[in-house]
Amino acid sequence: MDDAATWPRSLQDVDRSDEALRAWVAERIQRLDADGRRSADTHLVTLDLPAHWDIQLYLKDESTHASGSLKHRLARSLFLLALVNGQLRPGMPVIEASSGSTAVSEAHVARMLDIPFIAVIPRGTSRHKVSLIEAAGGRCHVVESAECMSREARRLAAEQGGLFLDQFTHAERATDWRGNNSIAVSALAQLELEPHPVPRWIVVGAGTGGTSATFGRLLRYRRLPTALCVADVENSAFFDGWVQGDPSVTTEHGSRIEGIGRPRVEPSFVPGVVDRMIRVPDAASVAAARHLSDHLGRRVGASTGTNLVASAQLIAQMRARGENGSVLTLLCDPGDRYTDTYFDDDWVAAQGWDLGPWRAALERELPLGRR
């Protein structure tokens, strides 16, 4: 007698296994793993400050990833999450709402996986980023403002039978903050032989909130005394939402600093892991990007400038209190993506930004290279 026949008739058994699909998913996960093994870790760059301060400032240089920015880790993690969750199938297009850098990295990963990719980007995204998305095989779908991106991406996904990756919702859960591909684990390991191996501050910007969640969780998990500061920008809801304890806060306009700042507090922003927030004026972010670019001999993006201004503020306060220690922040992406914006004097003037006072303040408060 067949053993299965001995079960009561109320037992229901539905088999939806698809061996071909499992093989397709497994092969793409192998491609992601291979990409990770081919990728060397990003450098930790020391910025020289006066030796008698006994304060070290480090930049985790994420611009050296294959797709050129901090978002490379996130893109790989988002695709991996979608694959292991059974959300992706052969031929299914992936759609993302992105102001540029995430879309560039996701286009790179999508091409590696042979998956069609559409980026929903706001009008005004730098032409260089659009070119990078298209060069990686992605297609750009332009909307009028950042506020429209997610809604339009969701509509496109439904219309085309695709998957909306939704970085702003899934970033904090896609990244394995304790290990696999974690920027936080990497950065803390690189500091182990430095004069102050446990930093006093870690400074990051917020675009999705995924990076701050990754660092903040690991710091608490390891029971470290390091404090986490999030640097926010004008026209962004993160600062006011955090200060007021109100995740419903919104702004009327989008951020002018590409890659960070959002008109709403995104679901991936985890306020409980943030110890401090500093709102940085846009002119200061651009001035700091130019200040650091001059020192490094290569251009960096304005979001890196935002991080640098917040770091300079914390270092000034450490000095005032007679503290020593280290500060770690991020070099998010290369400045050659912004030749026609942040590094174009006419474009900067058209924004109404006066960089002079901020350049002077930075040269005084953060005299890079002076021993």
Side-chain angles (χ1 to χ4, degrees), residues 1 10 16 43 51 62 95 144 157 204 231 239 252 270 285 290 310 324 334 347 361 366 368-370:
M1 179 187 244
S10 59
R16 289 182 176 169
H43 297 293
E62 294 291 283
I95 295 93
E144 288 304 315
V204 300
F239 181 88
E252 293 183 3
V270 182
S285 295
R290 293 187 174 198
N324 56 23
W347 187 90
L366 208 64
L368 302 178
R370 300 182 196 171

Side-chain angles (χ1 to χ4, degrees), residues 15-27 89-90:
D15 187 350
R16 289 182 176 169
S17 59
D18 184 333
E19 292 304 316
L21 177 59
R22 287 286 290 268
W24 181 86
V25 169
E27 200 274 336
R89 293 175 176 271

Side-chain angles (χ1 to χ4, degrees), residues 3 16 44 55 72 76 92 103 132 163 224 253 325 349 366:
D3 289 343
R16 289 182 176 169
L44 199 64
I55 296 174
H72 189 86
R76 204 157 50 192
M92 177 185 288
L132 288 172
L163 174 66
L224 297 177
H253 306 287
L366 208 64

Side-chain angles (χ1 to χ4, degrees), residues 3 24 30 50 56 102 109 147 182 189 191-192 195 251 307 324:
D3 289 343
W24 181 86
Q30 183 175 346
Q56 286 77 44
T102 300
V109 174
E147 295 87 339
S182 168
L191 283 168
E192 287 178 354
T251 63
N307 291 339
N324 56 23

Side-chain angles (χ1 to χ4, degrees), residues 46-48 290-298 367-370:
T46 305
L47 296 181
D48 291 330
R290 293 187 174 198
H291 176 63
L292 181 58
S293 297
D294 289 346
H295 173 72
L296 294 177
R298 58 187 173 99
L368 302 178
R370 300 182 196 171

Side-chain angles (χ1 to χ4, degrees), residues 30 40 75 79 94 149 160 168 182 191 202 227 263 292 322 328-329 362-363:
Q30 183 175 346
F79 274 92
V94 163
M149 289 193 304
Q160 300 194 17
F168 298 112
S182 168
L191 283 168
I202 291 175
L292 181 58
L328 169 70
T329 191
L362 283 160
E363 289 167 4

Side-chain angles (χ1 to χ4, degrees), residues 105-154:
S105 294
E106 287 178 347
H108 172 90
V109 174
R111 179 176 61 181
M112 180 174 62
L113 301 179
D114 294 323
I115 292 174
F117 178 74
I118 302 170
V120 179
I121 61 174
R123 194 173 302 281
T125 298
S126 74
R127 291 193 297 272
H128 188 73
K129 283 188 177 179
V130 172
S131 297
L132 288 172
I133 294 167
E134 293 175 343
R139 179 164 67 86
C140 292
H141 181 91
V142 180
V143 295
E144 288 304 315
S145 67
E147 295 87 339
C148 306
M149 289 193 304
S150 292
R151 183 171 61 252
E152 180 65 6
R154 191 170 285 107

